[in-house]
Amino acid sequence: MKLIEERIKKDGKVLPGNVLKVDSFLNHAVDVELINACAEEWYKLFKNEGVTKVMTIETSGITMATLTALKFNVPLIIAKKTRTKISESYLSTGVVSYTHGRSYQVNVCKDYIEKGDKILLIDDFLANGSALKALIALAEEAGAEVVGAGIAIEKTYQGGAQIIAKLGYRIESLAKISSLSDDGSIEFC
Amino acid sequence: MKLIEERIKKDGKVLPGNVLKVDSFLNHAVDVELINACAEEWYKLFKNEGVTKVMTIETSGITMATLTALKFNVPLIIAKKTRTKISESYLSTGVVSYTHGRSYQVNVCKDYIEKGDKILLIDDFLANGSALKALIALAEEAGAEVVGAGIAIEKTYQGGAQIIAKLGYRIESLAKISSLSDDGSIEFC
């Protein structure tokens, strides 16, 4: 999608360690009009898939998943990195965060995904695919079908999308980045 | 607001320790239509205040803050509980979480709040007011003005709203709960 590519070119910053910083419009200060345009795009792409729930992982995908769920008029399920002291029956799996350099558990209460659900996954970044694989595992463990994933920014050179596409899942990334250079340049596919 | 009170009566659960569980529609599985109605209500209440930014604290206020920022057509600022390895110039302050029973730092990058900003704070719960006080401190340290706070559920018996209102801030809570009983009953103001 042109709108997000142009914004990345204008305001994205390349930091050491292959990190693309989009804090100024995507995940710390958030341009909600831009995010709403992304949600509209995912709606167009997946509107014939019979989506019954949108699902994301906290934290930085929540803004876009909220707006996407509103377009589809379906509930949003937020997979949690923590469990509260409120006891629950959870499905759990592990994720390694690329940006934060640590691993964590993601948890979804069993009550909120059902057999027969058709789940659209939404997240801000797709790099090695660890977070997306975790969401797929949670949804399928609950007996739901994953109809695909809407991603704002895919780093194609980290291979996650290819791995997940080979497993048969549809991935719709709105900006695909083929390389980040130490001189600050960003190449799109 | 009737809509949210009725939903709390229908689907809220009272757990030991004065905890109101609203996971099934507000913060784990999310009824985005309900949240959008809350956002519309806050828009009506604060539309003449010249709001330039909406601000919340991760995680459970993000859905409602996103939809509220969209109504106002202004950026959303998400105060963070973690700092990434991406170095930044942050404003920070401390919060004690009632539900999770632990304390944490909240952080906002200095670049994203400016002198002259008029900030509307949005959060899901107001109990002892610790999170709201932290957001006020961060906004004011950056030189911005806090025009008020939109809260989905206030627990009036925990006193946070009174303390903050006495400091001169306008608080608009859509559901006000005066007591939770161990037998599961919920009293509204």
Side-chain angles (χ1 to χ4, degrees), chain A:
Chain A
M1 191 176 69
K2 271 245 164 94
L3 204 62
I4 191 159
E5 284 192 7
E6 280 166 9
R7 191 59 175 275
I8 294 166
K9 281 178 196 162
K10 181 173 164 276
D11 291 325
K13 283 176 190 162
V14 180
L15 299 183
N18 251 319
V19 173
L20 176 65
K21 184 173 173 285
V22 289
D23 268 17
S24 66
F25 61 97
L26 205 72
N27 46 32
H28 185 18
V30 182
D31 180 341
V32 288
E33 290 287 337
L34 174 68
I35 302 293
N36 202 37
C38 294
E40 184 63 37
E41 192 70 16
W42 289 316
Y43 177 71
K44 281 182 198 159
L45 290 162
F46 289 101
K47 70 182 175 192
N48 297 322
E49 298 299 326
V51 171
T52 62
K53 279 169 191 160
V54 168
M55 186 176 176
T56 192
I57 190 169
E58 61 182 13
T59 306
S60 52
I62 295 175
T63 55
M64 47 198 77
T66 299
L67 294 168
T68 306
L70 191 68
K71 305 266 179 214
F72 280 93
N73 195 17
V74 299
L76 165 66
I77 310 297
I78 302 171
K80 300 281 191 181
K81 290 178 186 171
T82 54
R83 297 181 182 196
T84 63
K85 65 185 176 189
I86 301 164
S87 69
E88 273 304 341
S89 182
Y90 283 102
L91 303 172
S92 293
T93 187
V95 176
V96 179
S97 164
Y98 181 77
T99 315
H100 294 77
R102 58 171 179 259
S103 62
Y104 55 90
Q105 285 284 314
V106 280
N107 310 283
V108 171
C109 177
K110 284 181 181 174
D111 296 345
Y112 304 145
I113 308 178
E114 293 164 309
K115 200 173 167 176
D117 268 332
K118 294 186 167 219
I119 311 259
L120 173 61
L121 306 176
I122 296 288
D123 210 355
D124 56 345
F125 275 97
L126 172 54
N128 63 24
S130 180
L132 208 51
K133 277 186 276 186
L135 289 176
I136 291 169
L138 290 176
E140 295 188 346
E141 195 180 338
E145 179 193 341
V146 172
V147 302
I151 301 294
I153 304 172
E154 177 188 328
K155 294 170 168 176
T156 60
Y157 56 95
Q158 288 187 266
Q162 278 173 293
I163 293 165
I164 291 164
K166 269 190 193 158
L167 296 172
Y169 300 98
R170 178 179 171 196
I171 297 176
E172 295 288 354
S173 304
L174 303 185
K176 291 186 185 187
I177 292 173
S178 55
S179 76
L180 297 173
S181 300
D182 287 343
D183 67 3
S185 66
I186 302 165
E187 296 286 331
F188 292 88
C189 291

Side-chain angles (χ1 to χ4, degrees), chain B residues 25 30 42 73 80-81 103 105 118 122 148 156 161 173 188:
Chain B
F25 61 96
V30 182
W42 290 316
N73 195 16
K80 299 281 189 180
K81 291 179 185 170
S103 62
Q105 285 284 313
K118 294 187 168 216
I122 296 288
T156 60
S173 304
F188 293 89

